[in-house]
Amino acid sequence: MFEPTELGKELCIHTGVVLRGANTREDEVHSSGTLNIVEYSFGKCIEWKPIEVSIVSEIQDQDPEWSLVDSHTRRTRTSSEGPDSLGRTRTVRILFSDLKSFRINHSGQQLIFMQKDGTTYVAFFQLSNAESFVKSLKGFIKFIKSKMDSNMYIIVDEVSNVLNKSFAELDLFQENTSDYVWKFVRNLHDRPYETTMEAFSKLADVWIYKDTDTKRPVEETVADLLNRSLSIDVPLPSVSVSSGEEYEVIGVSSASVLLPPRPPCPRGAPLTQEQWDKYKDPTGRITNSDAIKEIIFRGGISPSLRYEVWKFLLNYYPWNSTSIERLELKKKKTDEYFIMKLQWRSMTSAQENRFADYRDRKSLIEKDVNRTDRTHVYYSGENNPHLAQLYDILMTYVMYNFDLGYVQGMSDLLSPILCLMDNEVDAFWCFVGFMNKVYTNFEMDQSGMKCQLSQIHNLLSVTEPQLANYLDKHDSGNMFFCFRWLLVLFKREFNAIDIMKLWEILWTDLPCKNFHLLLCASILDTEKTILMENQYGFTEILKHINDLSLHIELPWTISKAEGIYHQLISVAPHLPDSVRTIIGLEPLNRSPEPCELDISNESSASTTNEENSHEQEAEGNIKFGDNEVAFERGLSMSYT
């Protein structure tokens, strides 16, 4: 934001606040500062100012919720504003006119500000409660509590405030219900395009397609909707749309599925050494891999065990192999690795000049290795030998699977594996096992990615139909904003500790192989209120989803995803085949449903666009026809 030339008037000051901006990395330091309400000639704003000598300290000891904030002694910038010429953190300002909503988290210790453009700021309160700042804010700006989320508050302007009073507070339809309602509905029916509020279309659904068997007069139903402020949380039947000559006719869909309440799914403890040894026989063979996978799914793996157990999860070692067989296998795999490595290391410059595909992949690997996880201590610093290992493994994988080669994002998947294994050969074969699980993410035609994006939309159509409908209406039904989640399996969304736990949970293939898609549905379920009540459009949705990076709570997300799975299983006979296959059930119909997402905003794409839709750029980005820009923004694979 620009630096005002005038001196603002501070209306209130709250000390001891740590501010994290959009896309701030977990390993960056966050200095403490003051969160103020300041008035300028151009308007009031929320302003955070750093305290130059104050560094967050002892926070993690005070409260585990503060684990999001690192406590190193070096200073860094906030990613949204950047440092000044002296390297100091700049002041951050949020104009009241740009503020869309805010949310209180962690029992009042965290306050999340959301701007109209989708930008998110997270404020951590050390010395005072976030609610005290909200009380101060209440004196300067109007906001209302969300009807869908008790911890979220929506900023209201004068127009929306008048509408809220008209319907919610004044109860205009308590008397003479029929006269008022039917006059309104007649106007809506005669002049539908003059009504722009989505809530009004809900009233039309109730009137035009009313249930003839209901005993309640339809005018009372409509009046009840109006008196509840035409809120978006009113359950209405799913609708299908067909085109008419003057306007679209809305019809009730028969494919809606009523889900039972979501069951609680508490997490468990990680796999221990004692449990691991319990399932080994005297020869070292694992006697019950299913039981081990169940424990891992419940709580992950103890860090000291990961080096050994990951090799089984990633099919480097067979579960039924003995200790002696694994030693022999490792020797064989070591020889095989160095033979493949020698193939590319012995390639001459003349050969490279005649081998364009190889040359392009080598260049891309060089670029990506130099910017992959450089803030992590394992890869930090100049001339780091681990970067050379990362490069060698990726180059050797090109020789192992030249049809697939290298695509941007693969280095993200290898990085944590090499960090854990700290061995080039072991890391390579574990990486091979990982790629065997997700290789369709990186195929040239991107059919695997299109299928998964379509499946997420199918899931939302059953689990969160309101959100699915909202995304469709806001040019986001293609689910491009989930692209980065899927491509690198949430690597950019969680810190190094959490991503290891998440990956090992996903590698169990429990409760179904597509559990990662249920995780996507879980995150979107959590963000539904923010997206819909802020009325975010295509650009804001992309920005908000990207800004969730490092701000997602892993245990809660996994528990919710498992709860969604159990909800779907409980109504399995009524699910469409597109959803049944996602959760691992056989389709009811013999003919399989196509797994394809219409990514074009136009109903008919040109032949030229279709032919070019699968081209791959030199930097590893995939073109999706007319949505190339949308894809690149949804992927947002830029390194920090």
Side-chain angles (χ1 to χ4, degrees):
M1 183 179 175
F2 68 92
E3 290 290 333
T5 56
E6 62 182 289
L7 184 63
K9 178 183 179 182
E10 293 182 339
L11 304 177
C12 70
I13 301 175
H14 290 257
T15 59
V17 181
V18 176
L19 189 73
R20 171 182 286 173
N23 293 325
T24 306
R25 295 189 61 86
E26 183 74 10
D27 53 5
E28 287 186 322
V29 174
H30 303 72
S31 59
S32 180
T34 61
L35 194 64
N36 314 325
I37 296 177
V38 183
E39 184 175 17
Y40 292 95
S41 60
F42 52 81
K44 298 183 181 70
C45 65
I46 297 170
E47 189 172 274
W48 180 83
K49 294 181 179 180
I51 299 176
E52 295 303 326
V53 297
S54 176
I55 300 294
V56 178
S57 61
E58 301 179 1
I59 297 174
Q60 294 176 349
D61 297 332
Q62 297 171 8
D63 195 320
E65 297 289 355
W66 285 89
S67 61
L68 289 173
V69 182
D70 208 335
S71 56
H72 294 80
T73 55
R74 60 184 176 86
R75 292 183 58 90
T76 61
R77 63 182 177 85
T78 56
S79 61
S80 57
E81 294 297 323
D84 61 15
S85 59
L86 299 179
R88 297 171 299 189
T89 306
R90 289 182 179 176
T91 298
V92 176
R93 296 180 183 85
I94 305 173
L95 281 171
F96 279 6
S97 58
D98 291 336
L99 188 62
K100 187 71 175 180
S101 65
F102 59 88
R103 193 176 192 278
I104 300 176
N105 281 349
H106 300 310
S107 302
Q109 287 188 304
Q110 185 187 93
L111 191 59
I112 302 176
F113 298 104
M114 286 153 284
Q115 295 186 187
K116 292 177 180 178
D117 65 355
T119 302
T120 301
Y121 291 96
V122 183
F124 299 89
F125 287 74
Q126 303 175 54
L127 307 178
S128 63
N129 195 288
E131 293 182 354
S132 64
F133 182 81
V134 173
K135 290 180 180 178
S136 300
L137 193 62
K138 193 172 184 179
F140 303 100
I141 192 171
K142 294 180 180 179
F143 53 84
I144 58 173
K145 182 176 289 189
S146 165
K147 296 183 179 180
M148 302 174 67
D149 185 343
S150 60
N151 294 323
M152 183 173 171
Y153 297 84
I154 309 298
I155 309 301
V156 294
D157 54 28
E158 292 301 322
V159 175
S160 58
N161 191 45
V162 170
L163 288 174
N164 285 333
K165 286 188 176 182
S166 297
F167 293 120
E169 299 176 18
L170 301 182
D171 287 331
L172 294 181
F173 296 94
Q174 285 186 347
E175 297 180 0
N176 298 325
T177 300
S178 295
D179 292 341
Y180 280 106
V181 170
W182 287 110
K183 180 179 179 182
F184 166 76
V185 173
R186 281 195 300 271
N187 290 336
L188 176 66
H189 184 274
D190 295 337
R191 295 171 294 174
Y193 284 114
E194 292 184 9
T195 306
T196 58
M197 295 178 64
E198 181 182 0
F200 285 0
S201 67
K202 296 180 181 180
L203 298 177
D205 290 346
V206 175
W207 172 61
I208 299 173
Y209 301 101
K210 58 183 181 293
D211 184 358
T212 56
D213 296 328
T214 183
K215 296 181 180 179
R216 188 181 186 191
V218 67
E219 59 265 31
E220 291 185 15
T221 303
V222 175
D224 184 53
L225 288 176
L226 291 173
N227 278 328
R228 281 187 283 168
S229 302
L230 309 174
S231 63
I232 60 175
D233 56 343
V234 177
L236 290 172
S238 300
V239 297
S240 59
V241 179
S242 58
S243 298
E245 293 181 358
E246 296 182 357
Y247 53 89
E248 292 179 330
V249 178
I250 304 174
V252 178
S253 170
S254 59
S256 58
V257 179
L258 182 62
L259 297 179
R262 188 172 300 158
C265 298
R267 305 298 299 152
L271 177 71
T272 64
Q273 184 70 56
E274 182 181 1
Q275 291 171 316
W276 179 243
D277 293 339
K278 173 186 173 182
Y279 289 107
K280 280 185 181 179
D281 67 13
T283 66
R285 181 180 282 109
I286 306 301
T287 59
N288 193 339
S289 60
D290 290 340
I292 289 178
K293 290 178 182 178
E294 180 64 33
I295 295 172
I296 295 173
F297 174 75
R298 285 277 139 235
I301 304 171
S302 298
S304 59
L305 272 178
R306 284 186 174 133
Y307 175 78
E308 183 177 1
V309 181
W310 275 26
K311 296 176 183 178
F312 291 88
L313 289 173
L314 292 171
N315 298 318
Y316 179 13
Y317 292 156
W319 288 97
N320 61 351
S321 61
T322 65
S323 299
I324 294 176
E325 290 171 341
R326 291 193 288 272
L327 288 174
E328 294 175 349
L329 179 62
K330 181 170 183 176
K331 183 179 183 303
K332 177 183 176 181
K333 291 291 188 181
T334 300
D335 292 341
E336 186 177 351
Y337 173 78
F338 283 109
I339 289 174
M340 290 185 292
K341 183 175 180 178
L342 183 61
Q343 290 175 343
W344 65 266
R345 287 183 67 90
S346 60
M347 191 172 294
T348 65
S349 298
Q351 285 178 300
E352 284 190 30
N353 291 336
R354 297 188 297 268
F355 202 166
D357 287 345
Y358 172 84
R359 192 169 61 248
D360 291 342
R361 291 169 179 180
K362 179 181 178 181
S363 175
L364 185 56
I365 290 174
E366 289 173 348
K367 291 178 181 178
D368 282 359
V369 164
N370 288 326
R371 56 191 183 187
T372 299
D373 289 338
R374 296 305 304 276
T375 58
H376 193 287
V377 63
Y378 192 80
Y379 298 105
S380 63
E382 298 298 326
N383 301 317
N384 189 315
H386 300 134
L387 292 177
Q389 287 182 312
L390 197 70
Y391 173 83
D392 287 354
I393 293 172
L394 292 172
M395 286 295 298
T396 304
Y397 185 79
V398 170
M399 307 309 298
Y400 172 82
N401 188 355
F402 203 88
D403 285 344
L404 185 60
Y406 179 82
V407 179
Q408 184 183 5
M410 289 184 181
S411 61
D412 275 272
L413 301 185
L414 173 59
S415 171
I417 294 176
L418 177 58
C419 181
L420 175 67
M421 295 296 165
D422 198 29
N423 177 283
E424 191 173 325
V425 175
D426 290 343
F428 174 82
W429 290 110
C430 286
F431 177 66
V432 167
F434 196 179
M435 287 302 302
N436 287 340
K437 293 176 179 290
V438 299
Y439 71 93
T440 57
N441 290 0
F442 300 95
E443 289 180 328
M444 183 76 73
D445 65 3
Q446 289 294 293
S447 58
M449 290 298 295
K450 294 177 188 177
C451 180
Q452 291 177 83
L453 293 172
S454 178
Q455 287 175 322
I456 296 174
H457 190 275
N458 291 338
L459 274 175
L460 289 182
S461 297
V462 174
T463 61
E464 291 294 340
Q466 284 185 333
L467 177 59
N469 186 50
Y470 179 88
L471 295 174
D472 289 340
K473 291 182 177 180
H474 290 77
D475 300 322
S476 299
N478 52 30
M479 311 303 293
F480 271 123
F481 52 84
C482 297
F483 201 100
R484 187 177 70 186
W485 296 355
L486 299 176
L487 184 70
V488 292
L489 214 59
F490 304 100
K491 166 64 162 51
R492 300 291 181 87
E493 317 314 316
F494 296 98
N495 61 36
I497 295 174
D498 280 351
I499 198 59
M500 286 187 172
K501 176 172 286 189
L502 175 58
W503 281 357
E504 61 201 18
I505 288 171
L506 293 176
W507 292 337
T508 65
D509 290 334
L510 296 175
C512 62
K513 289 188 175 182
N514 287 318
F515 189 64
H516 65 292
L517 301 180
L518 296 174
L519 281 171
C520 294
S522 172
I523 298 172
L524 294 176
D525 175 89
T526 301
E527 301 302 315
K528 178 183 71 172
T529 302
I530 292 175
L531 299 179
M532 295 176 65
E533 294 209 9
N534 284 329
Q535 298 179 8
Y536 282 164
F538 171 78
T539 301
E540 294 79 17
I541 291 173
L542 277 176
K543 183 168 181 55
H544 178 76
I545 294 300
N546 281 334
D547 286 353
L548 290 178
S549 177
L550 303 180
H551 295 351
I552 304 173
E553 297 182 27
L554 181 61
W556 171 244
T557 301
I558 296 175
S559 295
K560 181 181 286 189
E562 186 184 358
I564 292 173
Y565 171 81
H566 290 300
Q567 280 182 300
L568 295 173
I569 286 293
S570 66
V571 294
H574 307 288
L575 294 176
D577 284 349
S578 59
V579 177
R580 288 178 61 87
T581 55
I582 293 173
I583 60 176
L585 300 178
E586 291 294 328
L588 296 175
N589 300 319
R590 290 291 182 181
S591 57
E593 297 183 13
C595 182
E596 187 173 346
L597 184 68
D598 181 10
I599 59 172
S600 175
N601 289 330
E602 302 295 333
S603 58
S604 60
S606 66
T607 304
T608 302
N609 284 335
E610 290 178 358
E611 292 175 350
N612 295 334
S613 62
H614 305 315
E615 292 182 1
Q616 185 174 14
E617 293 184 301
E619 288 296 320
N621 290 334
I622 309 299
K623 293 183 179 180
F624 269 4
D626 293 338
N627 281 275
E628 175 188 351
V629 175
F631 160 76
E632 292 177 353
R633 296 175 68 187
L635 177 58
S636 186
M637 289 292 295
S638 60
Y639 294 79
T640 54

